[in-house]
Amino acid sequence: MAHATAEHSHAHEAHESHESLKVLGFWIFIVTDILIFGTLFACYAVLHTHTNGGPGAKELFEMPGVIAETFILLTSSFTSGLAVLAMHKGKVKQLIAWLAVTAVLGAAFIGMELTEFVKLVEEGHKISSNAFLSAFYTLVGTHGLHVSIGLVWMIGLMIQLSRRGVTEVTTRKVTNLSLYWHFLDVIWIFVFTVVYLMGVM
Amino acid sequence: MWENIKDFASTFFVTGDPLIYGADVSIALTSIAIVFVLTYFKKWTWLWREWITTVDHKRIGIMYLIASLLMLFRGGVDALLMRTQLALPNMKFLQADHYNAVFTTHGTIMILFMAMPMMFALFNLVVPLQLGARDVAYPFLNSLSFWLFLMGAMLFNLSFVIGGSPDAGWLSYPPLSELSHSPGVGENFYIWGIQISGIGSLATGINFLVTILKMRAPGMKMMKMPLFSWSVLSSSIIIIFAFPILTVTLALLFLDRFLGAHFFTMDLGGNPMMYVNLIWMWGHPEVYIVVLPAFGIFSEVVATFSKKKIFGYNSMVFSMMLISIVSFFTWAHHFFTMGASANVNVFFAISTMVIGIPTGVKIFNWLFTMFRGRITITQPMLWTLGFIPCFAVGGATGVMLAVAPADYQYHNSYFLIAHFHQVLIGGVVFGYLAGIYYWWPKVFGFKLNDRLGKWAFWLWNIGFYVCFMPQYALGFMGMTRRLYTYGSDTGWDLGWAPLNLISTVGAFLMGLGFIFQVWQISYSIRKGERDLTGDPWGGRTLEWSIPSPAPMYNFAVEPQVTTDDAWWKVKEDRAKGIKPAPVKYEPIHMPKNSAIPFVMSVCWFIAGFGFVFDWMWMAIPGLIGVAICLLARSFSYDTDYYIPVDEIERTEAALRGRTV
Ligand code: HEM
Ligand SMILES: [Cu+2]
């Protein structure tokens, strides 16, 4: 019996340190992702004037939609923060609810972005039109792809939370997810500033 | 219908060359033989349970090692093909387009599918043991890294018999690599082969960084860590910062080819020079990624076989960290001639020369360690001693190349070829071989035969100089790289032919050296000297404190570290009669095996193959498979278990009983 409890407490410790190890690894993953976006931003900076005579940022971008997207994504970052707060209080239902709100907002963001892309393409501004548009679609699309992957992950986590509640493992997972989500938010602020604001100015 | 099939097959399969048919036949025969042997000896479940699904860093290391040796063989055959073609003027051995494909696959395979996995083999085989850890930080991810690498490598190699090999050079510069100039699928194989294995490499970088930061044995402060682990740390940091750039660069090239984007095209605003900048922002750090661990190996080997502490430990650590930073600021030395302003060239010329300083410091540290040491010339030591002069000369010619105005003369000549092979073979290959000979007994439990090893060493070493020294001269005489043949006028009147012939002889000497190594390994498996002590060389670091091969959990009890050269200290204490603390076993936490890394990598392979041929019906299911694997992993909670105390006791008793 004594043996069993010793084993248990040991197990507990090992587990906990293992979970924090995974958060550290996720931070480093985020660093590599920052480099991915950094490289894409650099390419955009080089190519954003290479329109080959076609319309540039000023002519193409419609700010109201983009501003709405921005607000939606910022709000979703806030609600994901609320989800983490609920988690620390141990309230599973609340946690899942806030995650659901976050996911809906994220989906709305993706929907708006897709609409914007479809409209541009229908007007004949395609990824193959010129170097500026190649860089634009790739940079913004990579961010959108990240958000979409985040959505799938979020849904998977909500299912796990409803089955298992708040445990060490699910806590770590939610922590990483919200880290990811805030990170995408920060990236978007750069996209918004560099691509859209500076583009139309 | 029949016509269609014939049409498809004639573009799908590479045809028309006896070499290719030979390869087809040998691939088919080898596969049949493997399947037969596995079935006959009923080894399929063994293979699946013990290897394919394993998350044990030691096994993963062994698989990396095998794969990298096979790739060394393929890259080496490519090299010999090229050297045969160049041996004499007007040779008709390879056509121009074949030659292009061969130098491309040779370069790509040697760096990405030979050097990288051989390096990861050593990371895996050594680092956790050196740190006194039971595994790496993320064993599951580690297995995933391996399988991604292997699937990427297989995809790349498949291009030899299916679809056609890439032939735009090992870095695939656009516009040559764009659809407009390379309409075949070869470049797609290049992109996806590297992309898939590159994701694995990035994950390995993260894995070992965290392992080194967080998994060291209690008491092992950073500055008490063995130098090989330090070199892995610096190399991992470079991987983390450099590989994302490669990922993006290849992705953009793929978008150009796949969706008609214009990042690097000649028209519609594309900028090919941007590719060259990006690829070298990864490419230059990459050469330091592979050479730093070699430096770490030499530090271990020199200290062990001089029976001395390494000289200048702090300066070693400092210089490696310095190199890992400065290596990001030298990339433009690969294209001084592309028309940047003089100021830009001066910056990169100076930064390149600066990086020579910490490297020189290390060479002096090794020499001072040997000075007045009790040196024993074992095989690892031989390769180390071969490395020092070779790398010193390679470094010196590197500084010559760094002189930007002079580089207008050397650029893309055989002088460059000789230089980078000197650092890659003399530094990286000799270094990894030293490491393999050094840690081989730890991994497999026996030493590699000395006599055959000496033959291999001298053939490699002499062959190297015979092969590459004439190429410096050829460079000065105007022979450019990637040249598939030359006429008898330049050959005999200008004197290229004799030098080329000598160079080819040298290449075959190295090939002979490789054959000796294959012989040496197969001989030693049967007759090699067994290592029953766990410490065959009189080692200084923790990996030598446990039996060879190490048990599944590495360390039955976590070692407590107080100094650097931790195992040496233990041995000194024992000699003084200080008794070690009595051991008390505790259950050991271990990760469970998993099939997901393998299955997921196969899905990546399928997706990659689909993208290569623009077959969305194949690529999309492949990607869906990847997503399903990720979710399956996320939903599995039963991922670890405990080894109970009595099992540890039994294993240790058996091992130590044998050890005495
Ligand atoms: C084993 C002895 C080797 C021989 C005889 C050899 C020979 C050659 C030859 C003949 C070329 C083509 C030169 C040209 O036509 O431009 C070449 C290119 C190259 N080799 Fe090796 N090589 C050897 C080992 C290695 C190793 C170990 C590495 C890397 C770790 C390596 C990396 C490269 C690279 C990157 C290229 C440039 C390919 C390109 O031009 O795209 N080689 N080598
Ligand atoms: Cu370089």
Side-chain angles (χ1 to χ4, degrees):
Chain A
M1 186 62 222
H3 181 78
T5 42
E7 185 159 332
H8 183 78
S9 78
H10 193 82
H12 189 78
E13 234 170 71
H15 227 87
E16 205 161 43
S17 71
H18 217 78
E19 298 309 319
S20 71
L21 215 58
K22 288 188 177 165
V23 178
L24 174 64
F26 198 76
W27 271 105
I28 302 175
F29 159 74
I30 298 252
V31 170
T32 65
D33 224 9
I34 289 176
L35 282 154
I36 296 227
F37 280 107
T39 313
L40 289 173
F41 272 110
C43 292
Y44 184 80
V46 172
L47 297 177
H48 77 284
T49 53
H50 295 208
T51 58
N52 196 41
K58 216 178 215 133
E59 292 84 36
L60 290 182
F61 299 149
E62 287 170 12
M63 285 314 277
V66 179
I67 291 172
E69 273 176 49
T70 307
F71 272 106
I72 290 174
L73 200 67
L74 287 183
T75 314
S76 83
S77 204
F78 180 65
T79 54
S80 82
L82 292 178
V84 172
L85 282 182
M87 176 177 77
H88 287 313
K89 288 195 201 121
K91 296 186 176 156
V92 191
K93 286 236 171 66
Q94 217 177 354
L95 162 59
I96 295 177
W98 280 123
L99 283 182
V101 175
T102 310
V104 169
L105 290 170
F109 171 85
I110 291 293
M112 290 186 70
E113 188 164 86
L114 279 180
T115 327
E116 185 202 355
F117 280 11
V118 169
K119 184 156 168 282
L120 282 173
V121 171
E122 274 171 357
E123 287 166 2
H125 310 297
K126 293 189 287 242
I127 191 168
S128 54
S129 300
N130 57 47
F132 154 65
L133 283 171
S134 302
F136 164 75
Y137 281 113
T138 308
L139 171 59
V140 180
T142 304
H143 177 270
L145 185 67
H146 274 73
V147 175
S148 312
I149 292 172
L151 287 177
V152 178
W153 183 11
M154 204 173 285
I155 293 167
L157 265 195
M158 292 190 310
I159 299 172
Q160 289 174 36
L161 283 167
S162 67
R163 285 195 199 155
R164 295 172 185 270
V166 178
T167 66
E168 269 161 27
V169 178
T170 50
T171 303
R172 182 256 304 164
K173 290 187 177 186
V174 175
T175 310
N176 282 350
L177 175 70
S178 77
L179 202 64
Y180 182 73
W181 205 256
H182 291 313
F183 158 71
L184 290 181
D185 212 39
V186 174
I187 295 292
W188 179 257
I189 291 171
F190 278 97
V191 172
F192 180 68
T193 317
V194 173
V195 177
Y196 292 102
L197 271 187
M198 285 161 70
V200 297
M201 249 158 32
Chain B
M1 181 65 194
W2 178 238
E3 278 305 303
N4 280 346
I5 293 177
K6 238 170 70 181
D7 226 38
F8 167 77
S10 70
T11 49
F12 186 69
F13 295 107
V14 180
T15 49
D17 190 298
L19 274 175
I20 309 267
Y21 294 128
D24 284 338
V25 172
S26 62
I27 288 176
L29 286 180
T30 319
S31 315
I32 294 172
I34 291 174
V35 171
F36 177 77
V37 168
L38 286 171
T39 314
Y40 187 80
F41 291 101
K42 301 204 172 59
K43 288 289 185 192
W44 284 105
T45 38
W46 167 81
L47 188 70
W48 178 259
R49 284 223 197 100
E50 304 283 321
W51 296 93
I52 292 179
T53 60
T54 187
V55 291
D56 181 342
H57 66 97
K58 300 181 283 299
R59 301 232 157 144
I60 291 173
I62 291 173
M63 292 193 288
Y64 268 122
L65 185 63
I66 294 171
S68 67
L69 289 175
L70 287 175
M71 287 292 105
L72 178 60
F73 175 71
R74 155 101 209 249
V77 171
D78 280 348
L80 293 183
L81 293 178
M82 288 188 287
R83 281 313 324 165
T84 307
Q85 166 65 21
L86 293 177
L88 290 168
N90 294 321
M91 287 281 276
K92 298 277 182 302
F93 181 61
L94 294 175
Q95 308 299 317
D97 49 342
H98 287 159
Y99 191 88
N100 292 349
V102 173
F103 70 67
T104 302
T105 53
H106 164 78
T108 312
I109 286 179
M110 281 297 196
I111 300 230
L112 286 147
F113 302 128
M114 187 286 285
M116 290 295 278
M118 203 179 270
M119 173 181 89
F120 290 146
L122 290 160
F123 280 23
N124 271 288
L125 294 172
V126 179
V127 171
L129 300 185
Q130 236 180 16
L131 299 179
R134 298 232 162 95
D135 209 320
V136 294
Y138 317 114
F140 175 91
L141 189 67
N142 198 22
S143 157
L144 182 60
S145 289
F146 171 75
W147 289 109
L148 285 174
F149 146 71
L150 195 74
M151 291 301 156
M154 302 247 285
L155 191 61
F156 185 88
N157 278 282
L158 206 56
S159 67
F160 188 58
V161 289
I162 289 179
S165 296
D167 55 3
W170 82 283
L171 286 180
S172 272
Y173 279 11
L176 181 56
S177 57
E178 291 282 2
L179 210 50
S180 51
H181 298 69
S182 296
V185 293
E187 289 307 310
N188 296 347
F189 272 117
Y190 173 93
I191 291 171
W192 282 96
I194 298 179
Q195 196 71 297
I196 292 173
S197 71
I199 303 170
S201 306
L202 187 55
T204 305
I206 299 180
N207 213 334
F208 278 86
L209 176 63
V210 178
T211 304
I212 291 170
L213 291 179
K214 290 289 171 187
M215 308 278 285
R216 280 166 291 129
M220 187 186 281
K221 303 235 172 60
M222 288 299 274
M223 293 309 279
K224 291 184 180 150
M225 194 163 75
L227 279 172
F228 178 65
S229 293
W230 264 110
S231 72
V232 174
L233 177 77
S234 52
S235 170
S236 300
I237 292 174
I238 310 181
I239 290 179
I240 287 169
F241 284 93
F243 266 78
I245 307 177
L246 175 69
T247 307
V248 172
T249 311
L250 292 176
L252 299 186
L253 182 62
F254 183 68
L255 287 178
D256 274 7
R257 295 178 58 89
F258 185 63
L259 294 180
H262 291 283
F263 287 100
F264 312 122
T265 56
M266 300 287 276
D267 55 349
L268 297 175
N271 184 349
M273 269 310 293
M274 193 167 71
Y275 181 95
V276 179
N277 271 288
L278 288 171
I279 200 83
W280 280 113
M281 281 181 198
W282 160 79
H284 187 80
E286 165 67 15
V287 303
Y288 280 91
I289 291 172
V290 291
V291 86
L292 282 170
F295 292 168
I297 292 166
F298 295 130
S299 305
E300 304 288 341
V301 168
V302 163
T304 301
F305 296 109
S306 307
K307 290 258 178 290
K308 273 171 72 182
K309 238 187 188 29
I310 191 80
F311 181 90
Y313 177 96
N314 291 345
S315 66
M316 286 291 210
V317 171
F318 182 72
S319 60
M320 282 195 285
M321 296 321 274
L322 198 67
I323 289 174
S324 70
I325 296 167
V326 181
S327 70
F328 279 93
F329 299 95
T330 66
W331 78 85
H333 63 209
H334 294 277
F335 43 95
F336 282 140
T337 55
M338 279 198 191
S341 74
N343 289 342
V344 171
N345 278 357
V346 165
F347 173 86
F348 285 99
I350 291 177
S351 65
T352 306
M353 295 174 192
V354 163
I355 215 167
I357 298 171
T359 317
V361 167
K362 304 178 78 64
I363 297 220
F364 280 106
N365 280 340
W366 293 315
L367 292 176
F368 282 128
T369 308
M370 283 188 264
F371 182 64
R372 297 215 168 130
R374 274 182 286 135
I375 300 179
T376 33
I377 307 284
T378 54
Q379 292 183 71
M381 198 61 182
L382 263 185
W383 291 95
T384 307
L385 293 175
F387 147 83
I388 291 178
C390 195
F391 198 79
V393 175
T397 55
V399 174
M400 288 172 73
L401 284 160
V403 181
D407 184 58
Y408 275 70
Q409 200 58 42
Y410 317 131
H411 185 68
N412 275 356
S413 73
Y414 259 80
F415 186 88
L416 168 78
I417 298 283
H419 154 71
F420 75 65
H421 281 91
Q422 185 143 25
V423 283
L424 283 170
I425 296 182
V428 177
V429 177
F430 282 17
Y432 293 175
L433 287 175
I436 290 170
Y437 283 109
Y438 182 55
W439 282 297
W440 187 280
K442 178 52 56 192
V443 178
F444 295 105
F446 62 89
K447 281 191 192 174
L448 287 169
N449 179 277
D450 233 31
R451 258 173 70 95
L452 293 170
K454 290 219 165 95
W455 275 99
F457 169 76
W458 286 109
L459 282 166
W460 267 98
N461 204 46
I462 295 171
F464 173 80
Y465 289 101
V466 176
C467 180
F468 289 104
M469 292 304 121
Q471 294 184 9
Y472 282 118
L474 281 168
F476 285 135
M477 291 158 79
M479 182 162 165
T480 52
R481 71 189 287 199
R482 296 175 178 175
L483 192 73
Y484 90 100
T485 191
Y486 48 95
S488 43
D489 46 348
T490 36
W492 298 117
D493 304 344
L494 291 183
W496 287 14
L499 289 173
N500 269 303
L501 190 61
I502 295 172
S503 178
T504 302
V505 170
F508 277 91
L509 289 179
M510 282 186 273
L512 210 57
F514 183 76
I515 293 177
F516 265 91
Q517 290 176 306
V518 176
W519 180 9
Q520 180 192 26
I521 292 175
S522 51
Y523 176 86
S524 311
I525 290 176
R526 288 172 287 122
K527 304 219 175 116
E529 178 192 338
R530 305 287 127 170
D531 167 31
L532 301 177
T533 60
D535 186 13
W537 309 116
R540 313 178 73 81
T541 41
L542 285 176
E543 71 270 30
W544 306 109
S545 68
I546 52 176
S548 322
M552 179 170 57
Y553 45 75
N554 299 350
F555 295 86
V557 258
E558 270 195 312
Q560 302 287 328
V561 177
T562 49
T563 58
D564 52 357
D565 289 347
W567 173 235
W568 193 255
K569 172 80 167 38
V570 172
K571 290 195 280 189
E572 276 180 348
D573 284 354
R574 275 192 203 162
K576 283 187 209 138
I578 302 174
K579 286 249 150 49
V583 293
K584 188 179 155 295
Y585 297 133
E586 283 182 43
I588 297 176
H589 183 226
M590 296 295 283
K592 275 192 182 160
N593 284 1
S594 170
I596 295 176
F598 177 73
V599 178
M600 186 162 138
S601 306
V602 170
C603 292
W604 268 115
F605 181 91
I606 294 170
F609 195 84
F611 279 121
V612 166
F613 283 94
D614 212 341
W615 293 343
M616 286 309 107
W617 55 264
M618 187 165 176
I620 290 169
L623 288 181
I624 293 175
V626 172
I628 291 174
C629 287
L630 282 169
L631 285 172
R633 173 64 181 176
S634 178
F635 276 79
S636 49
Y637 276 69
D638 180 23
T639 53
D640 32 24
Y641 71 105
Y642 279 84
I643 304 180
V645 170
D646 49 339
E647 191 183 327
I648 303 171
E649 274 165 358
R650 257 182 287 125
T651 317
E652 287 294 301
L655 286 172
R656 304 274 167 185
R658 199 194 62 189
T659 309
V660 190

